[in-house]
Amino acid sequence: MIGDPRSLVTAQIELRDVGKRYETVSGPVLAVEQVSLKVRRQEFLTLLGPSGCGKSTLLGMIGGLVAPDAGQVLIDGEPSTGPNPRKVAMVFQDPGLFPWRTALDNVGFGLELQGVGGARRREVALGLLEPMGLRGFERKYPRELSGGMRQRVAIARALALDTPILLMDEPFGALDEQTRLLMGEWLVGIRRRTQKTIVFVTHSLQEAIALSDRIAVMTSRPGRIKDLFEVPLPYPRDLNSPEVTDLRAKLWDQIREESLRAMEGAP
Amino acid sequence: MKVLALRAAVLLGLLGVWEVVAAPLNPILYVAPSAIPGALLRVFRVGELPPLPEHVWLTLREIAAAYALAVSAGLWLGFVLGLQKTLGRIYEPILAALYAIPSVVWYPSLMLFFGLGPASKIAFGLLLGFFPVALSVLAGIRQVDRHLITVAVSMGAGPGAIFLKVALPAMSATLVGGLRAGLALSVVGVLVGEILGSRAGIGYLINYAYGLFMTAEYAGLVVLVGAAVLALDGAAGLLEARVRRWAS
Amino acid sequence: MGKLKIVGCQALSLAALVVGWEAAVRLGLVDPLFVPAPTAVVRALAATAGEALPRLLDTLVKTVIGYGLAVGLGVTAGLVIGSMRTVHQVCIPYVVALYGVPKILILPWIALIFGIGLTTAVLSATLFAVFPIVLLVAGGVRDLDPALLTVATSMGASPWQVYRKVLLPAVLPSALAGMRIGMVFALLGTLLAEMFAGIRGMGFLMQKQAMAFNAAELFAATALVSVLSIAVVVSLEHLNQRLGKWR
């Protein structure tokens, strides 16, 4: 994949004019409208926007969990028709670990669905859990793990599928500030090692700037892409450097308006 | 440790008080605890009473049949009503209302249908054991976390895998609790049936001893059956704890 | 699907059941000796009401007395067991065991001592109803949020005030839940004692009719008891909702 120079420039994910409306008690709501976006191979793209702006809906469409009412989702140039565990893995804000499975068996879940044997699953899961600082916790049940550990197990479970694409829906949203920063650093490391294409959803400016190659700012209801920012800075990023400060100010300008609108529109 | 000692002390104290109080009283009405072991031996040795093993064996077979039927019917109806939302909303309240009726009102009718033989006992054990199983399936299905299903779907799980690997384990704790309660009630159903009217079974023996004023033998049989029931429920409890060790 | 539609479907299902049942008897698919037609049951209900209603009252009176005893005993014991740690640890296994043992086993002994009459039936009702009440009340006390006690004590409440103003209201919902279950068990205990020992009341009446193969009269009596118990449970539930509104 890396040997082919074209693979670096072609889009791995393409959204063509996708839209989605939900029926609610108070009438239909346009969650996403006319979004077109290309995500490059091995790119880290962040969808940034206020709560309820359709980021998660968009991510769900890429993951095949949400069927768009309009437009098309292409993965490697082919239209997506549903979850595709050979190409796309997802991580959610709620880790969603199976409480009756140990950390090890949670990580092996996806492979189990694909019919991979027990010995191989163990090997993969141990290989993923160890570098995540979870050595010694393989046999623990989710309730015995801290919030950060649970989310790491959930990420390991997604990585175990060994897909080229990883979708992350506010994966650190429920964690405290310090854990969140550390998890971000750790994700940068994972990304460097695995060379995955990552689409990341967050409402945190800081997180978006620290992690992304590109940031797509979204408008709220209906969700559209308002602007795209390149972040051509090397890792680890100094979050107090003048470039970052400058970018943060620009992003804040964009997002402030949307957040205000979202606040006023909120029930 | 201290708690265990206290528990034993309470039990021994109660037995002691009973022994002292019962000593001067009519032994046909008040059996002293010390008379029970001897009476139990008499029950085992074929004496005035009919042979014990045969009756125990019959009762065990009745319980097994009643419980097997209760589990099959309970699981079937529970899943039908739990997975077909509309059917569930219509018929679950009716099921709950039936459960609020003291079960013993059905027994005379069952006796009329099935006579005094084992069939009426099995039917009553089935009826009693059925409700907790069916209701636990319904409660269990409601407890399945939707998010876990989303996660499984995102990893490519189809309906079969969702049922086997997500729904079933998620509801297992509740389900096993219902199966345990169902077993306890199937046992109760068979025993009630036998004691209210039968020609064989452990309940018949109890009634027989009671009818002949063999109170010590009656008490011995009650202690025996009570201990067996508690041991069975205890074993079911251990199994339940094993299934739900991942929770709390 | 609206609520009205659901109730409609329920009514329709029950009506279909009754009509189907009547048709099955008329067409000779079932033997009316065992399964009398609904119309026959209604006729029997009218014919036997003169005898059945006083028996129903008998059963109800015994149940209410037994239930009252069970509530008094059960709530007191539950509060005592729940509020003292050691007592709780020592006693709860015994209460659970007694709850688990089929009470029918002890019924003959009660009948032997207290004879064939009111006392036996009342005690049977109490025996069946008391253990769930004890367990639920004790559990309610155990589950009490200790922060509530701290708050009350920090505001200068005396132990008695803590008991009256914090403990009792906090335990009320579980006590009411226990009392609702206890009611069904009390009725069960009365009926069972009546059937077993031949004590005047609905239980004995039903047993007699089953023995005499009076299927229609038996079904009518069963329906009467069922309606009574559902009515009692529904009204207790209603009371629960009014008293435990804050939950």
mmCIF file of all heavy atoms in Angstrom, chain C residues 54-88:
data_model
loop_
_atom_site.group_PDB
_atom_site.id
_atom_site.type_symbol
_atom_site.label_atom_id
_atom_site.label_comp_id
_atom_site.label_asym_id
_atom_site.label_seq_id
_atom_site.Cartn_x
_atom_site.Cartn_y
_atom_site.Cartn_z
ATOM 1 N N PRO C 54 -70.736 -15.665 50.864
ATOM 2 C CA PRO C 54 -70.354 -15.711 52.283
ATOM 3 C C PRO C 54 -69.000 -16.408 52.493
ATOM 4 O O PRO C 54 -68.216 -16.007 53.343
ATOM 5 C CB PRO C 54 -71.479 -16.519 52.923
ATOM 6 C CG PRO C 54 -72.624 -16.415 51.998
ATOM 7 C CD PRO C 54 -72.050 -16.267 50.635
ATOM 8 N N ARG C 55 -68.727 -17.457 51.665
ATOM 9 C CA ARG C 55 -67.442 -18.160 51.788
ATOM 10 C C ARG C 55 -66.297 -17.231 51.382
ATOM 11 O O ARG C 55 -65.233 -17.230 51.986
ATOM 12 C CB ARG C 55 -67.419 -19.406 50.897
ATOM 13 C CG ARG C 55 -68.400 -20.515 51.263
ATOM 14 C CD ARG C 55 -68.126 -21.107 52.631
ATOM 15 N NE ARG C 55 -68.826 -20.374 53.674
ATOM 16 C CZ ARG C 55 -70.096 -20.564 54.016
ATOM 17 N NH1 ARG C 55 -70.814 -21.471 53.406
ATOM 18 N NH2 ARG C 55 -70.655 -19.845 54.971
ATOM 19 N N LEU C 56 -66.552 -16.437 50.366
ATOM 20 C CA LEU C 56 -65.534 -15.478 49.917
ATOM 21 C C LEU C 56 -65.236 -14.502 51.045
ATOM 22 O O LEU C 56 -64.071 -14.160 51.315
ATOM 23 C CB LEU C 56 -66.054 -14.724 48.684
ATOM 24 C CG LEU C 56 -65.021 -13.921 47.900
ATOM 25 C CD1 LEU C 56 -63.998 -14.851 47.281
ATOM 26 C CD2 LEU C 56 -65.689 -13.098 46.809
ATOM 27 N N LEU C 57 -66.293 -14.078 51.742
ATOM 28 C CA LEU C 57 -66.111 -13.155 52.856
ATOM 29 C C LEU C 57 -65.305 -13.830 53.974
ATOM 30 O O LEU C 57 -64.389 -13.230 54.554
ATOM 31 C CB LEU C 57 -67.481 -12.705 53.372
ATOM 32 C CG LEU C 57 -67.434 -11.539 54.359
ATOM 33 C CD1 LEU C 57 -66.934 -10.277 53.674
ATOM 34 C CD2 LEU C 57 -68.805 -11.296 54.989
ATOM 35 N N ASP C 58 -65.632 -15.112 54.256
ATOM 36 C CA ASP C 58 -64.870 -15.877 55.250
ATOM 37 C C ASP C 58 -63.381 -15.817 54.930
ATOM 38 O O ASP C 58 -62.544 -15.491 55.777
ATOM 39 C CB ASP C 58 -65.282 -17.368 55.214
ATOM 40 C CG ASP C 58 -66.603 -17.606 55.925
ATOM 41 O OD1 ASP C 58 -66.976 -16.755 56.748
ATOM 42 O OD2 ASP C 58 -67.257 -18.632 55.641
ATOM 43 N N THR C 59 -63.082 -16.166 53.682
ATOM 44 C CA THR C 59 -61.681 -16.207 53.259
ATOM 45 C C THR C 59 -61.039 -14.829 53.401
ATOM 46 O O THR C 59 -59.909 -14.696 53.890
ATOM 47 C CB THR C 59 -61.601 -16.685 51.796
ATOM 48 O OG1 THR C 59 -62.164 -17.978 51.718
ATOM 49 C CG2 THR C 59 -60.170 -16.724 51.314
ATOM 50 N N LEU C 60 -61.772 -13.815 52.985
ATOM 51 C CA LEU C 60 -61.233 -12.461 53.028
ATOM 52 C C LEU C 60 -60.928 -12.035 54.459
ATOM 53 O O LEU C 60 -59.866 -11.462 54.741
ATOM 54 C CB LEU C 60 -62.241 -11.504 52.376
ATOM 55 C CG LEU C 60 -61.702 -10.126 52.015
ATOM 56 C CD1 LEU C 60 -60.548 -10.255 51.035
ATOM 57 C CD2 LEU C 60 -62.793 -9.251 51.424
ATOM 58 N N VAL C 61 -61.835 -12.328 55.383
ATOM 59 C CA VAL C 61 -61.643 -11.937 56.784
ATOM 60 C C VAL C 61 -60.379 -12.585 57.344
ATOM 61 O O VAL C 61 -59.518 -11.925 57.936
ATOM 62 C CB VAL C 61 -62.879 -12.329 57.630
ATOM 63 C CG1 VAL C 61 -62.569 -12.221 59.124
ATOM 64 C CG2 VAL C 61 -64.055 -11.432 57.272
ATOM 65 N N LYS C 62 -60.239 -13.903 57.111
ATOM 66 C CA LYS C 62 -59.068 -14.606 57.617
ATOM 67 C C LYS C 62 -57.789 -14.043 56.991
ATOM 68 O O LYS C 62 -56.772 -13.854 57.664
ATOM 69 C CB LYS C 62 -59.182 -16.104 57.314
ATOM 70 C CG LYS C 62 -60.158 -16.797 58.241
ATOM 71 C CD LYS C 62 -60.327 -18.247 57.883
ATOM 72 C CE LYS C 62 -61.272 -18.397 56.720
ATOM 73 N NZ LYS C 62 -61.776 -19.772 56.553
ATOM 74 N N THR C 63 -57.882 -13.754 55.698
ATOM 75 C CA THR C 63 -56.707 -13.211 55.017
ATOM 76 C C THR C 63 -56.310 -11.863 55.627
ATOM 77 O O THR C 63 -55.132 -11.617 55.886
ATOM 78 C CB THR C 63 -57.000 -13.021 53.519
ATOM 79 O OG1 THR C 63 -57.419 -14.259 52.982
ATOM 80 C CG2 THR C 63 -55.777 -12.532 52.785
ATOM 81 N N VAL C 64 -57.298 -11.019 55.849
ATOM 82 C CA VAL C 64 -56.993 -9.682 56.356
ATOM 83 C C VAL C 64 -56.376 -9.759 57.760
ATOM 84 O O VAL C 64 -55.396 -9.078 58.049
ATOM 85 C CB VAL C 64 -58.262 -8.799 56.347
ATOM 86 C CG1 VAL C 64 -58.036 -7.530 57.145
ATOM 87 C CG2 VAL C 64 -58.645 -8.457 54.919
ATOM 88 N N ILE C 65 -56.922 -10.626 58.618
ATOM 89 C CA ILE C 65 -56.344 -10.767 59.959
ATOM 90 C C ILE C 65 -54.907 -11.280 59.867
ATOM 91 O O ILE C 65 -53.986 -10.719 60.457
ATOM 92 C CB ILE C 65 -57.194 -11.722 60.837
ATOM 93 C CG1 ILE C 65 -58.630 -11.204 60.940
ATOM 94 C CG2 ILE C 65 -56.580 -11.842 62.226
ATOM 95 C CD1 ILE C 65 -59.557 -12.155 61.682
ATOM 96 N N GLY C 66 -54.726 -12.338 59.090
ATOM 97 C CA GLY C 66 -53.392 -12.919 58.944
ATOM 98 C C GLY C 66 -52.411 -11.923 58.348
ATOM 99 O O GLY C 66 -51.259 -11.821 58.765
ATOM 100 N N TYR C 67 -52.911 -11.181 57.379
ATOM 101 C CA TYR C 67 -52.074 -10.182 56.720
ATOM 102 C C TYR C 67 -51.681 -9.084 57.699
ATOM 103 O O TYR C 67 -50.517 -8.666 57.761
ATOM 104 C CB TYR C 67 -52.845 -9.606 55.537
ATOM 105 C CG TYR C 67 -52.139 -8.496 54.798
ATOM 106 C CD1 TYR C 67 -50.972 -8.754 54.096
ATOM 107 C CD2 TYR C 67 -52.662 -7.207 54.795
ATOM 108 C CE1 TYR C 67 -50.334 -7.748 53.409
ATOM 109 C CE2 TYR C 67 -52.024 -6.192 54.104
ATOM 110 C CZ TYR C 67 -50.861 -6.462 53.411
ATOM 111 O OH TYR C 67 -50.229 -5.459 52.743
ATOM 112 N N GLY C 68 -52.660 -8.634 58.502
ATOM 113 C CA GLY C 68 -52.364 -7.600 59.496
ATOM 114 C C GLY C 68 -51.271 -8.061 60.452
ATOM 115 O O GLY C 68 -50.322 -7.317 60.727
ATOM 116 N N LEU C 69 -51.402 -9.294 60.922
ATOM 117 C CA LEU C 69 -50.371 -9.852 61.805
ATOM 118 C C LEU C 69 -49.008 -9.865 61.106
ATOM 119 O O LEU C 69 -47.988 -9.486 61.684
ATOM 120 C CB LEU C 69 -50.735 -11.285 62.197
ATOM 121 C CG LEU C 69 -51.725 -11.462 63.344
ATOM 122 C CD1 LEU C 69 -52.104 -12.932 63.474
ATOM 123 C CD2 LEU C 69 -51.098 -10.961 64.641
ATOM 124 N N ALA C 70 -49.020 -10.306 59.837
ATOM 125 C CA ALA C 70 -47.766 -10.420 59.092
ATOM 126 C C ALA C 70 -47.129 -9.054 58.900
ATOM 127 O O ALA C 70 -45.912 -8.902 59.025
ATOM 128 C CB ALA C 70 -48.012 -11.081 57.739
ATOM 129 N N VAL C 71 -47.940 -8.036 58.612
ATOM 130 C CA VAL C 71 -47.383 -6.701 58.391
ATOM 131 C C VAL C 71 -46.781 -6.174 59.696
ATOM 132 O O VAL C 71 -45.649 -5.675 59.735
ATOM 133 C CB VAL C 71 -48.460 -5.727 57.855
ATOM 134 C CG1 VAL C 71 -47.964 -4.294 57.904
ATOM 135 C CG2 VAL C 71 -48.843 -6.106 56.434
ATOM 136 N N GLY C 72 -47.546 -6.296 60.808
ATOM 137 C CA GLY C 72 -47.030 -5.825 62.092
ATOM 138 C C GLY C 72 -45.725 -6.506 62.453
ATOM 139 O O GLY C 72 -44.709 -5.854 62.712
ATOM 140 N N LEU C 73 -45.735 -7.847 62.410
ATOM 141 C CA LEU C 73 -44.541 -8.621 62.739
ATOM 142 C C LEU C 73 -43.403 -8.345 61.759
ATOM 143 O O LEU C 73 -42.261 -8.111 62.159
ATOM 144 C CB LEU C 73 -44.869 -10.112 62.646
ATOM 145 C CG LEU C 73 -45.362 -10.815 63.890
ATOM 146 C CD1 LEU C 73 -45.855 -12.209 63.521
ATOM 147 C CD2 LEU C 73 -44.220 -10.903 64.895
ATOM 148 N N GLY C 74 -43.747 -8.373 60.476
ATOM 149 C CA GLY C 74 -42.732 -8.275 59.429
ATOM 150 C C GLY C 74 -42.046 -6.928 59.426
ATOM 151 O O GLY C 74 -40.817 -6.843 59.328
ATOM 152 N N VAL C 75 -42.825 -5.837 59.547
ATOM 153 C CA VAL C 75 -42.216 -4.508 59.515
ATOM 154 C C VAL C 75 -41.337 -4.311 60.755
ATOM 155 O O VAL C 75 -40.195 -3.844 60.652
ATOM 156 C CB VAL C 75 -43.299 -3.410 59.411
ATOM 157 C CG1 VAL C 75 -42.691 -2.033 59.606
ATOM 158 C CG2 VAL C 75 -44.003 -3.488 58.068
ATOM 159 N N THR C 76 -41.854 -4.716 61.922
ATOM 160 C CA THR C 76 -41.052 -4.573 63.144
ATOM 161 C C THR C 76 -39.750 -5.368 63.023
ATOM 162 O O THR C 76 -38.652 -4.818 63.221
ATOM 163 C CB THR C 76 -41.844 -5.094 64.364
ATOM 164 O OG1 THR C 76 -43.171 -4.580 64.287
ATOM 165 C CG2 THR C 76 -41.195 -4.668 65.651
ATOM 166 N N ALA C 77 -39.887 -6.632 62.685
ATOM 167 C CA ALA C 77 -38.690 -7.474 62.581
ATOM 168 C C ALA C 77 -37.745 -6.929 61.517
ATOM 169 O O ALA C 77 -36.521 -6.884 61.715
ATOM 170 C CB ALA C 77 -39.089 -8.905 62.234
ATOM 171 N N GLY C 78 -38.297 -6.456 60.395
ATOM 172 C CA GLY C 78 -37.462 -5.924 59.320
ATOM 173 C C GLY C 78 -36.683 -4.705 59.784
ATOM 174 O O GLY C 78 -35.482 -4.578 59.510
ATOM 175 N N LEU C 79 -37.349 -3.797 60.511
ATOM 176 C CA LEU C 79 -36.668 -2.594 61.005
ATOM 177 C C LEU C 79 -35.556 -2.991 61.984
ATOM 178 O O LEU C 79 -34.439 -2.480 61.897
ATOM 179 C CB LEU C 79 -37.659 -1.652 61.688
ATOM 180 C CG LEU C 79 -38.599 -0.888 60.762
ATOM 181 C CD1 LEU C 79 -39.593 -0.055 61.573
ATOM 182 C CD2 LEU C 79 -37.831 0.013 59.812
ATOM 183 N N VAL C 80 -35.863 -3.906 62.897
ATOM 184 C CA VAL C 80 -34.862 -4.314 63.890
ATOM 185 C C VAL C 80 -33.672 -4.987 63.203
ATOM 186 O O VAL C 80 -32.518 -4.607 63.407
ATOM 187 C CB VAL C 80 -35.486 -5.268 64.932
ATOM 188 C CG1 VAL C 80 -34.407 -5.882 65.806
ATOM 189 C CG2 VAL C 80 -36.504 -4.521 65.783
ATOM 190 N N ILE C 81 -33.987 -5.958 62.348
ATOM 191 C CA ILE C 81 -32.914 -6.701 61.685
ATOM 192 C C ILE C 81 -32.091 -5.781 60.784
ATOM 193 O O ILE C 81 -30.868 -5.864 60.727
ATOM 194 C CB ILE C 81 -33.502 -7.874 60.869
ATOM 195 C CG1 ILE C 81 -34.046 -8.927 61.822
ATOM 196 C CG2 ILE C 81 -32.447 -8.502 59.965
ATOM 197 C CD1 ILE C 81 -34.761 -10.073 61.129
ATOM 198 N N GLY C 82 -32.797 -4.870 60.091
ATOM 199 C CA GLY C 82 -32.090 -3.995 59.156
ATOM 200 C C GLY C 82 -31.205 -2.977 59.841
ATOM 201 O O GLY C 82 -30.134 -2.630 59.341
ATOM 202 N N SER C 83 -31.633 -2.477 61.013
ATOM 203 C CA SER C 83 -30.852 -1.366 61.580
ATOM 204 C C SER C 83 -29.709 -1.823 62.477
ATOM 205 O O SER C 83 -28.897 -1.013 62.874
ATOM 206 C CB SER C 83 -31.767 -0.373 62.313
ATOM 207 O OG SER C 83 -32.811 -1.031 62.953
ATOM 208 N N MET C 84 -29.633 -3.113 62.787
ATOM 209 C CA MET C 84 -28.498 -3.566 63.597
ATOM 210 C C MET C 84 -27.637 -4.520 62.795
ATOM 211 O O MET C 84 -28.095 -5.594 62.386
ATOM 212 C CB MET C 84 -28.994 -4.203 64.890
ATOM 213 C CG MET C 84 -29.454 -3.144 65.884
ATOM 214 S SD MET C 84 -30.029 -3.872 67.403
ATOM 215 C CE MET C 84 -31.776 -3.753 67.208
ATOM 216 N N ARG C 85 -26.402 -4.115 62.583
ATOM 217 C CA ARG C 85 -25.496 -4.827 61.689
ATOM 218 C C ARG C 85 -25.333 -6.299 62.057
ATOM 219 O O ARG C 85 -25.508 -7.192 61.227
ATOM 220 C CB ARG C 85 -24.142 -4.128 61.723
ATOM 221 C CG ARG C 85 -23.404 -4.138 60.421
ATOM 222 C CD ARG C 85 -22.076 -3.414 60.602
ATOM 223 N NE ARG C 85 -20.979 -4.342 60.357
ATOM 224 C CZ ARG C 85 -20.628 -4.747 59.139
ATOM 225 N NH1 ARG C 85 -21.264 -4.295 58.092
ATOM 226 N NH2 ARG C 85 -19.631 -5.586 58.970
ATOM 227 N N THR C 86 -25.017 -6.536 63.334
ATOM 228 C CA THR C 86 -24.738 -7.916 63.750
ATOM 229 C C THR C 86 -26.000 -8.765 63.644
ATOM 230 O O THR C 86 -25.960 -9.888 63.132
ATOM 231 C CB THR C 86 -24.228 -7.948 65.201
ATOM 232 O OG1 THR C 86 -23.280 -6.890 65.347
ATOM 233 C CG2 THR C 86 -23.573 -9.265 65.511
ATOM 234 N N VAL C 87 -27.119 -8.198 64.117
ATOM 235 C CA VAL C 87 -28.376 -8.931 64.051
ATOM 236 C C VAL C 87 -28.677 -9.290 62.599
ATOM 237 O O VAL C 87 -29.091 -10.406 62.280
ATOM 238 C CB VAL C 87 -29.520 -8.088 64.654
ATOM 239 C CG1 VAL C 87 -30.843 -8.827 64.517
ATOM 240 C CG2 VAL C 87 -29.237 -7.769 66.108
ATOM 241 N N HIS C 88 -28.423 -8.335 61.709
ATOM 242 C CA HIS C 88 -28.665 -8.566 60.287
ATOM 243 C C HIS C 88 -27.832 -9.739 59.789
ATOM 244 O O HIS C 88 -28.339 -10.662 59.164
ATOM 245 C CB HIS C 88 -28.316 -7.294 59.522
ATOM 246 C CG HIS C 88 -28.653 -7.360 58.061
ATOM 247 N ND1 HIS C 88 -27.721 -7.688 57.093
ATOM 248 C CD2 HIS C 88 -29.816 -7.159 57.404
ATOM 249 C CE1 HIS C 88 -28.298 -7.678 55.923
ATOM 250 N NE2 HIS C 88 -29.568 -7.361 56.068
#
